[in-house]
Amino acid sequence: MPITANYPDRKTWIETFPNTDFPIQNIPFGVFLTRDDIITIGTRIGDTAIDLGALHQLGYFDGIPLTDDIFLQDSLNDFISDGKKTWRLVRNRIAEIFDAKNNSLKNNEKHRQEVLFSLDEIEMQLPVRIGDYTDFYSSIEHATNVGKMFRDPENALLPNWLHMPVGYHGRSSSIIPSGIPIHRPQGQKLTNGAKEPIFGPSRLVDFELEMAFITTDANQLGEPIPIEEAEDYIFGMVLFNDWSARDIQKWEYVPLGPFLGKNFASSISPWIVTLDALEPYRTDGPKPLKEQLPYLQYKGKKSFDINLEVAIQPEKAVETVVSKSNFKHMYWTMAQQLTHHTVNGCPVNSGDLMGSGTLSGPTPDSYGSMLELSWRGEKPLQLNEGGSRKFIDDNDTVIMRGYCEKDGVRIGFGEVSTKLLPVFKK
Amino acid sequence: MPITANYPDRKTWIETFPNTDFPIQNIPFGVFLTRDDIITIGTRIGDTAIDLGALHQLGYFDGIPLTDDIFLQDSLNDFISDGKKTWRLVRNRIAEIFDAKNNSLKNNEKHRQEVLFSLDEIEMQLPVRIGDYTDFYSSIEHATNVGKMFRDPENALLPNWLHMPVGYHGRSSSIIPSGIPIHRPQGQKLTNGAKEPIFGPSRLVDFELEMAFITTDANQLGEPIPIEEAEDYIFGMVLFNDWSARDIQKWEYVPLGPFLGKNFASSISPWIVTLDALEPYRTDGPKPLKEQLPYLQYKGKKSFDINLEVAIQPEKAVETVVSKSNFKHMYWTMAQQLTHHTVNGCPVNSGDLMGSGTLSGPTPDSYGSMLELSWRGEKPLQLNEGGSRKFIDDNDTVIMRGYCEKDGVRIGFGEVSTKLLPVFKK
């Protein structure tokens, strides 16, 4: 079935600004509270939010096999379970409804009032009920930088790294949508030269520039997913800030991996951009430096050209862009990650989220964390407002943005923006 | 409020065998399919399963603040969210209904037929929808044994171990109830002396003897739980088999911890024994070998005296008990684990599950994994049926059991029994 929603020439009757992240070719999915405090599933064109629950009740999805309440839910999980064919039918239909040549909704004021919202009338929620969250470690630049700093500069990459997309399980309960502030975490840390740990606020709170993909029901317990099928189970992608407390992490992580240094918060952009919408931006991933085992070998372009940036905005001050990177630098593709994850029979369900790992590029201005950008704090970053940063200060807001662009069409992710408040006080 | 359900002298009108794990003093909670294929929440006395959904509809919980459908659900999550006071009211009421001196249900045959089931009429399900699963590493004997085998025999315990309950995130999607078979996982492994990994079936499939506790909603993002409150958020406990593939684990786990070596399956006993029911079996945990940071210090007895055993049963053969241990050997208590988990503000929700880590005791016959019992395969275990085992063979069933006993009352967990099938074939 062709992805007619992607036609680059299509115009919409919804007013949009040039260079919006959300032209009619995007059609992402999210969950929001309406002005009447009703929760619904929606999409967005330009700065207009569209209530898909209302649209469905009014009959605009007739002919597509959908249950009556599929969009009247507080998460996308059930819709995602409907599978790729249904996602595509719905996205294609939405493109038709809002096509500049289609007058049916455009000329029906009553329907428009039920369906359309301006962004300041709605409140974005977490788009999925995340069952399990896995974080990979798939940028060779990031793994190399961290290995140089914390282990052996001569053997920065560990022996398994070039053979598999190394990953670990994270905490779903602390994943929040853009806009929710977090608190500086407290915990155990070992100060330089000390033998015994102390307890207190983390002094090294950091972001990690990542993207994450969201899956549909993929397999039964015991059943691996072959690599040629893996992308069929990926619904879409979001920007992902994997907040990290480097001092807590460093003391706790041996031998079982990161725990409290990570699980105080991770934030995501609220609109899931579908893999279908990203189709025009496919590109080759980095060339493998070692032959990969057959179950991880794939054909075709399975990486995506997505420009990324991170900005720090101190309270009541202008922001400073501190990093510009690209998703295409990721060494292991999403298809490889999902295939590896299930090769032992681990079940993957609708709403599971898988992070890319920090997306550092090859140059120092493309590194994806303060740890790397300031090189452990040795090179503080100058901010436009006059100050400098080694890590993130109280009341700083960290903003990540991402977009693809080709043939005059820009498909963006909006942003994930999260403010770091001081330590929690009851 | 007194826990009247625990009165040791109480008898029940339900027929029970001596030495049952489920006397009227236990009253665990589970979820099952009835003979009519209806899913319901239930409890168990002796070998009789009790449909709490039906009991509630018939008015037996009148006066307790419960929603009408609280037991007509496919998970205990909502009931667990009701909190400790409600759990206690319900358990006390169940004890009254089934007390030998109470004739109301006993003499109502119509009600009895709606409420009571024999075990062979029902099918036990996963008792909770597990949001997040965390596994700790809290047995000093296990951590020491593993450290000796894989790292430095002279410094087996890592520096952080005596300062915190080390833990990591696991995978919820592969947690299954007793009785569901699993498949031998495949994956990457590095054979002795090789430089490059190969792909194939794990040759070192192992169990880990653990217990796990299940929480209620405990805190908001950012908010730590003080140690004196921690036990209020623990609903109950189950037996937990943390299946492990040692060869896959060994190659993958540096630096981010265990992943595919663990997430192919973990199995739990289906009846959650409440912390209230375990109250009479409180005991002191091991004495700390180092002073602990103030947030981890507690008063009173926060460990529990729970006898544990593991048996291996080859196909069509008698079983062999290969380990006898006790939950009380765990160095870090559940209260310490939960407090540590939230000290950075990580949110804990109803239905989250936290594993103890392998519960090895101090003697070689009390070790909690084949890795330790056979000491990496160097000392195969003899089985009663004549064979021997270094690890688990295809078609072996691993069975774990646990119970407390004091003053003539035995509170047991039943068992978690899981068969290992050969590699999955489509």
Side-chain angles (χ1 to χ4, degrees), chain A residues 385-397:
Chain A
E385 53 100 42
S388 70
R389 290 290 182 280
K390 297 175 179 175
F391 288 91
I392 305 302
D393 281 5
D394 284 354
N395 301 308
D396 282 354
T397 298

Side-chain angles (χ1 to χ4, degrees), chain A residues 239-410:
Chain A
L239 301 166
F240 188 68
N241 183 351
D242 182 24
W243 287 90
S244 301
R246 301 298 178 192
D247 38 5
I248 295 172
Q249 185 183 348
K250 192 178 172 191
W251 167 237
E252 75 176 355
Y253 92 104
V254 175
L256 298 181
F259 185 51
L260 301 187
K262 296 278 191 178
N263 65 18
F264 59 98
S266 321
S267 27
I268 65 173
S269 55
W271 293 105
I272 305 176
V273 176
T274 63
L275 214 61
D276 265 5
L278 298 171
E279 194 59 39
Y281 309 96
R282 285 186 179 272
T283 185
D284 288 318
K287 227 186 153 112
L289 300 178
K290 260 202 183 183
E291 194 180 340
Q292 295 168 356
L293 282 162
Y295 79 97
L296 291 170
Q297 292 176 15
Y298 64 91
K299 295 199 181 75
K301 294 179 194 298
K302 296 218 185 290
S303 190
F304 294 86
D305 184 2
I306 307 172
N307 302 290
L308 299 167
E309 68 172 35
V310 188
I312 296 176
Q313 182 173 30
E315 190 151 58
K316 296 175 187 166
V318 295
E319 68 170 51
T320 303
V321 172
V322 295
S323 174
K324 282 180 180 278
S325 185
N326 194 302
F327 183 72
K328 73 181 175 192
H329 297 311
M330 191 164 78
Y331 186 85
W332 295 97
T333 64
M334 295 185 283
Q336 289 178 310
Q337 290 168 344
L338 188 54
T339 296
H340 181 64
H341 204 316
T342 61
V343 75
N344 67 343
C346 177
V348 168
N349 298 315
S350 173
D352 289 350
L353 184 139
M354 306 203 181
S356 57
T358 307
L359 290 165
S360 294
T363 56
D365 59 352
S366 66
Y367 292 166
S369 65
M370 291 301 284
L371 178 70
E372 297 162 86
L373 289 163
S374 77
W375 207 258
R376 265 186 303 199
E378 290 162 22
K379 306 176 194 165
L381 294 191
Q382 296 307 308
L383 299 188
N384 295 334
E385 53 100 42
S388 70
R389 290 290 182 280
K390 297 175 179 175
F391 288 91
I392 305 302
D393 281 5
D394 284 354
N395 301 308
D396 282 354
T397 298
V398 173
I399 306 159
M400 296 177 177
R401 304 186 183 95
Y403 70 95
C404 311
E405 195 151 28
K406 194 180 172 185
D407 299 334
V409 179
R410 171 186 170 117

